[in-house]
Amino acid sequence: MGGARAISDQPRLISSFVGDLLLRSTQPLPQLFRYKPGCNRVSMQFSRSLSGLTNLLFNSRKLDDLPNSKRKSLKPGRVSPPRPVPKHIQRPPYAKSKMMPGIASGPEVHDEQGIERMRASGRLAAQVLQFAGTFVKPGIMTDEIDEAVHQMIIDNGAYPSPLGYGNFPKSVCTSVNECICHGIPDSRPLEDGDIINIDVTVYLNGYHGDTSATFFCGDVDDEARNLVQVTKECLDKAISICAPGVEFKKIGKRIHDYADKFRYGVVRQFVGHGVGRVFHADPVVLHFRNNDDGRMMLNQTFTIEPMLTVGSINPVMWNDNWTVVTEDGSLSAQFEHTILITSDGAEILTQC
C-alpha cells in the first residue's frame, strides 16, 4: 500500500511512497507537500533531486479524459463500511489509533522463531491472494473481493493489515487498469478486458506478510498481457540477484534495464520496504536506477514491488486520498513478494 493524505492529517507512507526523497528529509512531513482537497494534486516542496528523478508531482487529470483508448476511464464507486474483525484476533498497533506510523527505522532481521513466523504470515498472504484471484471475472465487484479476502484472513486468525492503516477503509487493495496502486474496493463491477492488481497483507502472530499480483479479467488484449508479463519478469529478475551483501540499488537497475527493453515506464514515487514485525520498515527499495547506499543482510525481510506503465509514470491521486492512477490513463501493472535473505540467496515467503 502507499499514497498521500491531506496535510491536515499526515502524508501517507504506505508500502510504497515517495521513497528516499521523503524519508531522508529533515523537514516536517506537512511542509513537504502542498495539497488542495478536490483538485487531485499533491506537489513536492522539497528541492533535493534523486538520481535524475525529474518528475515528482502528482499531476491532475480529469476523470473523463482517456485519449486513444477503447477502455472507459476508471471512476470511483460506492465504498461499503469497513468489515469487523473478531476481538480475539491480534491487531497491529496502528489498528486502534488509525494513525499513519510511516516507515520504521532499522531493518527487519529475524531469529529462527521470527523467520518461522514470517514464513507463516507469508504463506497465508499467498494463499489469500491465490483465492482472491479466483473471483476475478466480469461482473464481480471489487467490494466482493474485499469481502472474500477479509473473511479468509480472519478465519485463519489473522488481521488484514491494510484495514485502518492511516484510516484505509478496506481489507485489501484492488487496483484496476490505470490504477497504479492503493485502489479502494468498491461497487464498480469488473469488465471484460480489465486487469486488476490485488494487494494482500496479513498480520499473523505479530508478523506481516505482504504480496500482490495482477490478474486478467476475461478476454484481455495483447497490450495488457504483455505489460503484465514483463512486470512479473521484472520482479523475478530482481529477486534472482538478492543475497547477503548485495547492494539494494542493483534491484532498481535490474528492473529499470529490463523495463526499458520494452519501453515501459517504471513508477518512481512508490517503493518496496522492509516488512515483518512492522508493516513498513527500512530499507526503502527503489525500483528504478539510483545511487542509494545499503546492502542486504542475512535473515532480513523486505518487499520488492515494481509498478510498470504503458505510458506516463506520473501519478494522479483521487479525492479519496488513496487511489493513484496514471496521468494519461494508460495501463499499469504490479507484482510483489516478501523475501527473506538467506545464506545462498533469497527465499520467496509469499508463495503457496
Side-chain angles (χ1 to χ4, degrees):
M1 295 179 57
R5 187 161 179 78
I7 62 172
S8 58
D9 294 318
Q10 181 183 9
R12 285 204 160 96
L13 292 169
I14 312 165
S15 121
S16 21
F17 199 26
V18 191
D20 200 31
L21 188 72
L22 175 58
L23 297 173
R24 292 187 180 178
S25 170
T26 58
Q27 298 184 44
L29 293 180
Q31 295 179 17
L32 289 172
F33 288 85
R34 180 167 54 249
Y35 178 84
K36 292 183 179 180
C39 76
N40 288 359
R41 185 183 181 90
V42 179
S43 60
M44 296 290 294
Q45 296 194 63
F46 189 40
S47 60
R48 177 179 175 271
S49 63
L50 176 61
S51 186
L53 179 56
T54 59
N55 219 327
L56 294 172
L57 301 180
F58 289 90
N59 298 291
S60 59
R61 172 176 67 86
K62 294 180 180 180
L63 290 177
D64 291 330
D65 293 340
L66 197 58
N68 304 320
S69 176
K70 296 180 180 178
R71 288 184 295 106
K72 298 177 182 177
S73 179
L74 189 65
K75 295 182 180 180
R78 182 183 60 82
V79 178
S80 64
R83 295 185 160 86
V85 177
K87 292 183 178 179
H88 72 272
I89 289 178
Q90 181 182 0
R91 288 158 166 74
Y94 57 79
K96 286 187 178 181
S97 68
K98 297 185 179 180
M99 296 293 290
M100 185 63 57
I103 293 186
S105 177
E108 284 285 328
V109 178
H110 309 280
D111 58 18
E112 279 303 315
Q113 182 185 60
I115 289 172
E116 288 307 311
R117 290 187 176 184
M118 282 299 298
R119 285 177 175 141
S121 64
R123 184 166 52 249
L124 176 59
Q127 291 168 347
V128 172
L129 179 62
Q130 184 180 64
F131 177 62
T134 67
F135 285 80
V136 176
K137 59 190 69 174
I140 291 291
M141 295 183 295
T142 52
D143 190 56
E144 294 177 85
I145 296 174
D146 180 79
E147 180 179 22
V149 164
H150 181 91
Q151 193 62 48
M152 183 174 179
I153 292 173
I154 64 174
D155 283 350
N156 282 273
Y159 183 89
S161 301
L163 184 62
Y165 187 88
N167 220 28
F168 190 80
K170 308 301 287 183
S171 299
V172 67
C173 296
T174 52
S175 302
V176 178
N177 294 338
E178 69 262 35
C179 185
I180 296 171
C181 58
H182 310 146
I184 299 175
D186 61 20
S187 62
R188 179 194 181 274
L190 293 175
E191 299 180 3
D192 187 60
D194 283 347
I195 59 173
I196 175 174
N197 176 269
I198 302 177
D199 192 337
V200 171
T201 313
V202 305
Y203 185 67
L204 179 66
N205 296 323
Y207 290 76
H208 297 271
D210 191 0
T211 187
S212 84
T214 300
F215 298 89
F216 300 132
C217 181
D219 185 15
V220 175
D221 64 26
D222 288 343
E223 179 186 56
R225 287 184 178 275
N226 292 337
L227 172 68
V228 170
Q229 179 64 31
V230 172
T231 306
K232 176 63 166 62
E233 290 170 354
C234 280
L235 175 60
D236 293 341
K237 289 179 179 296
I239 293 173
S240 72
I241 65 170
C242 293
V246 173
E247 295 174 303
F248 280 103
K249 65 184 180 183
K250 290 188 176 180
I251 291 175
K253 185 177 188 308
R254 177 61 65 95
I255 290 169
H256 210 154
D257 285 353
Y258 193 68
D260 277 354
K261 292 181 180 180
F262 302 90
R263 299 186 177 180
Y264 291 139
V266 181
V267 175
R268 290 157 166 75
Q269 284 87 343
F270 299 90
V271 301
H273 53 90
V275 65
R277 289 157 293 224
V278 298
F279 198 168
H280 302 97
D282 285 335
V284 171
V285 180
L286 303 179
H287 303 119
F288 57 98
R289 296 184 196 96
N290 65 90
N291 292 313
D292 272 18
D293 298 327
R295 295 176 182 270
M296 302 171 198
M297 303 168 61
L298 182 65
N299 297 336
Q300 183 179 19
T301 52
F302 55 88
T303 71
I304 304 174
E305 44 188 298
M307 287 147 272
L308 270 57
T309 65
V310 169
S312 174
I313 61 172
N314 297 335
V316 175
M317 186 177 292
W318 283 4
N319 291 342
D320 60 22
N321 298 328
W322 280 105
T323 306
V324 178
V325 298
T326 56
E327 177 187 31
D328 59 358
S330 62
L331 291 173
S332 179
Q334 179 187 20
F335 283 85
E336 174 186 12
H337 274 310
T338 297
I339 67 170
L340 167 72
I341 299 302
T342 64
S343 59
D344 58 355
E347 176 184 342
I348 298 174
L349 300 179
T350 44
Q351 60 184 5
C352 298

